[in-house]
Every structure is written in structure tokens, then in C-alpha cells.
Amino acid sequence: MAYRHIIGARTWAFADLRDLMAKATPIRSGDMLAGIAAGSAEENVAARMCLAEVPLRAFLTEALIPYERDEVTRLIIDTHDEAVFRPVAHMTVGDFRDFLLSEAATSEALAALAPGITPEMAAAVSKIMRNQDLIAVAKKCRVVTRFRDTIGLAGTMAVRLQPNHPTDDAAGITASILDGLLYGCGDAVIGINPASDSIPVLADLLKLIDDVIQRFAIPTQGCVLTHVTTSVEVINRGVPVDLVFQSVAGSEGANASFGISLATLKEGHEAALSLGRGTLGDNVMYFETGQGSALSANAHHGVDQQTLEARAYAVCRPFRPLLVNTVVGFIGPEYLYDGKQIIRAGLEDHFCGKLMGVPLGCDVCYTNHAEADQDDMDTLMTLLGAAGVTYIMGIPGSDDVMLNYQSTSFHDQLYLREVLGLKRAPEFAAWLMEMGITGPDGRLKPQGASHPLLAAARGLGAGLAA
């Protein structure tokens, strides 16, 4: 169906809903690379005005990627909860924005509505919202998950402790883990991006994380971010696995480029559940996403990258993940050119994920060839903190020496907690107090080389390093 909008004497025409969504997207390099972006600021404004008048129900009848050709589309349509959707079914995209910003859209109301919101609806309304709108609504969306601690409670923000090493050296990884714990990081997960895909190496890394967690009774979870099929294999070999990880995207073709399907994810989910390692809950999956991945795989179907990113959250949603995060600036300037585009994308992703009931965190990051710097990341991190982000990354010195990109440091979360009053997951916060790492106010206490964590940890990883 074609869409038109008249401004003055000019009529702006859009071929279909897919074209309208792309033209209404705030400008970004990825959509320009795909040849689907608005050709001018005037066209972009016309598209947004036109999109505001589109009924939400249109997204249930006009699929952006055909139902017959894409299992993600089939998942979205087949699992849509019509009863939950009914209170907003009469609304246009513009009406929906007004509702989300109103006092009627309480945290409870938004949580109840989440199963009725498709990713295309979430993406559409985000396109006509200002940054402050995205922050204000996301702040009201609470998504709480549990494994060994409770993540996503109001007023909290967790941190993934990311102790990567370019050679998977056990001693180097252990040092980073201890450093991060002493800075109060790690309540989201202790998660390693391995340099190797060797199953013996991955098994050793998983055992190392598990040793740290079990030896010090830390209420957190570990993860080695390898392919879901590899995780299933190490589970079958009896290796301790808390969370199963996978990168996902918003189209069947893009997921195929990752070597996965919905059936593959189901197998990983069932394997992790079978271990029963959670003490508080059974949210056992960890997903990462990022705008531009479908375009990289030539599997975007002419759909704009932000809408495809929201569709990735629909892939995550049925598996009840503990954690999902957008690696917002990681893919590079081909998709998000500069700090302005990265900041906008991070706020969009967080808003869409939370609105859909997904526990969205963000790797606030950029690559060194992007037109961005750490000041841009400080801005995005602060805005996401105000928006109630589920978690961010904690990386030694903010410089990942294995993946070669810039993210957020162990220190950065201390700034957010001080300025915005954000607390840690309650079980993890209690453990930090018991270990003498923090005081009752959550602030770090001065430590020396004699701290029990350091003294008891000297043998950790020694056998593996040898």
C-alpha cells in the first residue's frame, strides 16, 4: 500500500510501509549505504508526519519482510497477543506516542502491554520521538530477570564485568576479574569474549569463571560468549555453563549468516535449563545485537537498520533472556557514522527493547575509525543511566585489548551511581558489603594487597596459565 503526505503545495509519496519507515528514520550512514534513507531533511519530516497517522494495526497486516520468506516475521505475527494489544488497537502511531508519554502509561500498564507490541510498532513510534521522549518512556519500563541475582529493579543498574584477553591467558583474565570485582562490577555477568574457538580452551575459561564464583560465593553468573552450538557441546561434556550466549539479528537471513535459526536457539535454551544452575531464577540466555548486522549480511530486505534491530528483540523475547544488549557503536561508522548517530541509536534501542519487555542493556562503545570519542560515550552513558538502562559494560581502562574497541570502564559505573543514585543488584550489593569492598552507602572502601579476595585468589587460574 502506498502512503502520501501533503505539505503545502507538495505531495510526498512513499511506496509502502517499509519505504515510509526507512524515510522516517533519523539519518544514519547505514541506511544511506543501503540506499533507503530520506533524500533530504524535508522528506524525512514528511515521512515522520505521515508515519504518525498510520494505524498501529497496519503493522499486523502489512509485513515489512514477507511472512512466507522469513521465520522472524512468522514469529512476530504468530506470537502477537491480540488481547493485550486491544487497549491500544485503535491508536495511530502518533496517538501511541501521546499515550506512552501520558500518566496513564504507568510501569505496570507498560509491562502488561509489552506482549502486544510488535517490533515494527516500537520502531515506528520511536522514529517520531525526541531523545527526551525515548528516555522518559524507557524510564517507566521495568523488566526484571533472575539467575543468581535480581537484575532490572527500579533504581538499579548492573554491570557486565568483561575481562577479555588477546590470548585467553588465564592469569590475565583472573587479574581483570579481581580488579573489576574490587570496583564493584559484575552483577550482570562475568562475561568473556574468547579469542579462541577451541572447545578445550573454552571449557577452561568456563571452569575459571565458575571457580571464582563458587570459591567466593558471588551472587552472579558467568558466560563465555561463544556460538550457541558450541555452548551446547560443552554442556554435553559436563562443563559448568550458567548462561548460553548468541548474537542475533532481525531477519532469518541475517541469523543464518550467524549460523543460527530459532530452532538452534531453542536447543541452546533447553540445554541451559537442563542444568538448573540458577538459584533465584531460570533466565539462562544472553543475547547481543547491533544496528547494521542485517545489512552486513545482505539480508535487510530494504528495511531500515533500526527497525531490523527492534526485530532482533522479537527473536530474544520468547527465550526469556537474563540479559540482552545492543553493542551500539561496535560495527563501525559504515552504519553509525558519528557520536550523534551512536547516541540516538543507543536511546532508540534501549527504548524499543524495554517497550517490548526485553531486559535491554547497552555496550556504550565506538570503534577508533568512527567520528566519535569518549565524551560522546559519557553523554550516551549518562542519558541511558537516566533512562533506567538495565546494565552497561565494565572493561579495564575502557579499552578492550582483545576486540580492539572503546567501551566503558570499571570507573564509569561509579560516576553514574554517584550522580544518578543508581544501586547494584541487591544480592550482589550485599556480597560487596560482606567482603568489605563497599560500605553501607554502596561506595567503595579503600583496599590493600591484603584484601581477602586477593589473598585467596593467588592460586586462581595458575594451573590453567601453566
Side-chain angles (χ1 to χ4, degrees), residues 24-276:
T25 304
I27 198 69
R28 60 208 54 194
S29 52
D31 292 335
M32 295 174 70
L33 180 65
I36 60 175
S40 65
E42 291 82 0
E43 185 178 26
N44 179 248
V45 169
R48 292 192 204 189
M49 294 174 71
C50 185
L51 182 60
E53 298 170 357
V54 173
L56 289 180
R57 278 206 173 276
F59 297 99
L60 299 175
T61 57
E62 188 175 348
L64 304 191
I65 302 176
Y67 183 93
E68 301 77 14
R69 294 174 53 193
D70 188 89
E71 70 171 358
V72 177
T73 299
R74 293 193 291 275
L75 172 69
I76 293 166
I77 298 300
D78 294 349
T79 61
H80 180 253
D81 192 323
E82 177 65 28
V84 166
F85 175 63
R86 195 167 295 127
V88 297
H90 64 286
M91 295 183 182
T92 64
V93 173
D95 294 334
F96 189 42
R97 172 190 175 274
D98 292 343
F99 164 74
L100 292 174
L101 290 167
S102 74
E103 293 182 358
T106 62
S107 295
E108 294 75 19
L110 293 175
L113 185 62
I117 302 303
T118 70
E120 291 85 357
M121 294 174 191
V125 74
S126 77
K127 296 177 192 298
I128 64 168
M129 298 174 83
R130 295 172 58 184
N131 285 1
Q132 66 174 253
D133 299 339
L134 299 174
I135 294 167
V137 177
K139 178 76 170 180
K140 297 189 288 186
C141 297
R142 308 310 316 173
V143 183
V144 178
T145 58
R146 294 177 175 88
F147 189 77
R148 292 198 187 99
D149 58 357
T150 305
I151 296 171
L153 295 171
T156 69
M157 180 193 72
V159 176
R160 169 186 161 189
L161 202 171
Q162 186 169 310
N164 296 346
H165 192 281
T167 64
D168 292 332
D169 177 72
I173 288 171
T174 301
S176 291
I177 292 174
L178 298 179
D179 190 25
L181 290 172
L182 289 169
Y183 273 104
C185 298
D187 45 350
V189 64
I190 300 174
I192 302 171
N193 295 93
S196 171
D197 60 1
S198 162
I199 286 182
V201 171
L202 300 175
D204 283 346
L205 293 176
L206 284 161
K207 291 173 185 175
L208 171 58
I209 299 174
D210 188 57
D211 190 6
V212 174
I213 291 174
Q214 300 302 329
R215 184 176 302 200
F216 301 114
I218 309 173
T220 190
Q221 36 284 325
C223 185
V224 172
L225 283 67
T226 188
H227 195 272
V228 60
T229 56
T230 306
S231 292
V232 172
E233 176 61 25
V234 295
I235 287 172
N236 290 337
R237 296 189 184 195
V239 177
V241 173
D242 291 339
L243 306 182
V244 167
F245 169 82
Q246 184 57 51
S247 295
V248 298
S251 74
E252 180 178 344
N255 284 324
S257 75
F258 293 149
I260 63 165
S261 64
L262 296 177
T264 313
L265 297 178
K266 182 179 179 183
E267 182 183 2
H269 185 225
E270 291 174 349
L273 286 174
S274 72
L275 299 180

Side-chain angles (χ1 to χ4, degrees), residues 422-434:
L422 298 173
K423 301 183 183 301
R424 300 174 179 88
E427 301 84 0
F428 189 79
W431 177 83
L432 290 173
M433 277 189 60
E434 291 171 9

Side-chain angles (χ1 to χ4, degrees), residues 308-320:
L308 284 165
E309 173 72 5
R311 283 170 57 96
Y313 307 147
V315 173
C316 303
R317 187 162 54 176
F319 299 102
R320 303 185 300 109

